Amino acid sequence: MTNTYREFVVGGVLIAPIVSYAAIALLAFLMLRPLLRFVGFARVFSNPSLAELCLYVAMFGTLALFF
């Protein structure tokens, strides 16, 4: 079973679905960051920037896989 991907058209320019998934994941991650700071996410990891990047990649992969 294959997915049929629909491109988005913005001003006559076709935008691939993966770009929209990346943008949605970025917006969701930016909304999640204050909560991560509140719960002390950075104290758990030795490299919090890398941990945040991994969280973004996981969110992006989940969006690309299921939508």
Side-chain angles (χ1 to χ4, degrees):
M1 190 164 130
T2 61
N3 272 341
T4 57
Y5 296 109
R6 295 186 181 144
E7 292 86 9
F8 294 108
V9 179
V10 177
V13 177
L14 294 175
I15 298 176
I18 198 156
V19 174
S20 64
Y21 299 153
I24 292 169
L26 182 63
L27 288 174
F29 178 72
L30 289 177
M31 291 189 308
L32 185 66
R33 273 186 98 185
L35 179 66
L36 293 175
R37 286 191 181 159
F38 179 72
V39 297
F41 183 78
R43 289 179 287 165
V44 178
F45 297 98
S46 61
N47 192 346
S49 298
L50 185 61
E52 287 181 353
L53 175 66
C54 292
L55 184 61
Y56 168 75
V57 169
M59 292 169 67
F60 172 68
T62 302
L63 280 173
L65 183 64
F66 291 114
F67 292 106

